[in-house]
C-alpha cells in the first residue's frame, strides 16, 4: 500500500496480504474502439466521462486517452508525451492517471498493432467507465503485446489500474521503465507505484 498524498489518495495492489485489491478484468466485448486501425504512434483522443467524477479537487467531464499509457483530466494537452516522468512532477503533462506510461504504439493504417477502447458497465449510481489499452506494442514489428486498463468508478471516485498482459521484451517487461500513478493539476502532489 501507499499514500496518502496531500489529497488523501492511497493505493493498494492485489498482492497486499492484509487488504488486497480485487482484480476483475473488464474485457473488450461490447467496448467502443477509439479510431480502430487509425491510431499509430503518439496519439491522443478526448472522450466523455458518462457520470460525475471527482479528481484532485475538480469534476472533469472528459478524459484524454493516449497511446502512451496515460490518461489526462485537463481541458487539453498539446502532446501525447511519450517520455514518461516520475510522479509528482511539475513538467507536463499534469492532472494525469498513468496505468502504464511508456512509449507505446497502436495500430495505424500502415503499421503497428492494437487499439484503444472505452466501455461503460453497470447501472447508476454504480457505473464503471473503463479505458482499455489493448495489445499495444513498443516498436514496429514487435510481437509482444501489452494490454491494461483504467477503471473509473461512479460514486466512490476510485481509479483502478488492471493488467491483462504486460510481459514483453527487455525494454518494457512487466512495466520496466514505465511510470504508474496519479498526479494533481500542477504536478505538486501525486502517488507513484514503485
Amino acid at each position: 500500500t501507499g499514500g496518502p498524498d496531500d489529497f488523501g489518495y492511497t493505493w493498494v495492489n492485489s498482492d497486499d496480504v492484509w487488504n488486497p485489491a480485487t482484480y476483475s478484468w473488464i474485457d473488450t466485448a461490447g467496448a467502443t474502439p477509439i479510431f480502430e486501425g487509425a491510431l499509430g504512434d503518439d496519439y491522443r483522443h478526448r472522450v466523455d466521462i458518462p457520470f460525475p467524477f471527482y479528481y484532485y479537487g475538480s469534476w472533469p467531464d472528459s478524459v484524454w486517452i493516449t497511446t502512451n499509457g496515460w490518461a489526462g483530466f485537463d481541458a487539453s494537452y498539446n502532446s501525447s508525451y511519450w517520455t514518461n516522468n516520475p510522479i509528482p512532477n511539475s513538467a507536463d503533462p499534469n492532472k494525469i492517471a498513468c496505468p502504464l506510461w511508456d512509449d507505446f504504439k497502436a495500430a495505424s493504417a500502415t503499421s503497428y498493432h492494437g487499439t484503444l477502447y472505452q466501455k461503460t458497465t453497470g447501472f447508476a449510481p454504480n457505473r464503471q467507465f473503463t479505458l482499455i489499452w489493448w495489445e499495444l506494442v513498443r516498436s514496429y514489428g514487435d510481437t509482444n503485446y501489452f494490454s491494461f486498463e483504467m477503471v473509473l468508478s461512479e460514486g466512490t471516485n476510485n481509479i483502478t489500474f488492471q493488467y491483462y498482459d504486460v510481459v514483453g521484451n527487455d525494454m518494457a517487461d512487466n512495466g520496466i521503465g514505465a511510470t504508474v500513478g496519479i498526479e494533481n493539476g500542477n504536478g505538486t502532489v501525486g502517488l507513484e507505484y514503485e
Side-chain angles (χ1 to χ4, degrees):
T1 60
D5 67 9
D6 290 348
F7 279 78
Y9 289 102
T10 60
W11 63 260
V12 62
N13 71 24
S14 57
D15 293 332
D16 187 303
V17 174
W18 303 108
N19 187 23
T22 302
Y23 178 85
S24 181
W25 180 258
I26 297 173
D27 65 25
T28 59
T32 302
I34 300 170
F35 295 116
E36 186 172 25
L39 294 170
D41 193 10
D42 300 328
Y43 181 82
R44 66 189 184 281
H45 182 71
R46 186 176 181 178
V47 294
D48 291 333
I49 301 171
F51 47 76
F53 187 79
Y54 186 77
Y55 189 74
Y56 278 112
S58 67
W59 294 89
D61 59 2
S62 62
V63 59
W64 289 86
I65 182 172
T66 72
T67 53
N68 292 321
W70 64 270
F73 296 95
D74 221 341
S76 66
Y77 293 91
N78 59 16
S79 172
S80 63
Y81 300 99
W82 60 273
T83 302
N84 51 309
N85 295 312
I87 291 174
N89 191 313
S90 60
D92 288 338
N94 293 309
K95 204 172 190 180
I96 56 175
C98 311
L100 200 64
W101 182 12
D102 209 340
D103 187 18
F104 290 106
K105 291 129 183 80
S108 69
T110 59
S111 62
Y112 306 124
H113 181 88
T115 198
L116 308 175
Y117 292 91
Q118 63 176 320
K119 183 176 183 178
T120 302
T121 54
F123 301 95
N126 299 304
R127 291 172 287 181
Q128 292 184 312
F129 178 64
T130 305
L131 297 176
I132 305 167
W133 288 260
W134 185 251
E135 295 188 345
L136 302 187
V137 297
R138 290 275 291 138
S139 61
Y140 180 75
D142 196 347
T143 57
N144 295 299
Y145 301 142
F146 296 83
S147 297
F148 50 94
E149 65 190 9
M150 178 177 83
V151 183
L152 307 181
S153 295
E154 183 178 24
T156 65
N157 300 306
N158 286 341
I159 299 174
T160 304
F161 298 154
Q162 301 192 119
Y163 305 91
Y164 185 81
D165 183 3
V166 292
V167 176
N169 57 31
D170 292 341
M171 288 191 312
D173 188 41
N174 288 307
I176 292 173
T179 301
V180 176
I182 59 173
E183 183 182 83
N184 75 336
N186 60 12
T188 58
V189 178
L191 282 176
E192 182 173 351
Y193 178 78
E194 298 181 28

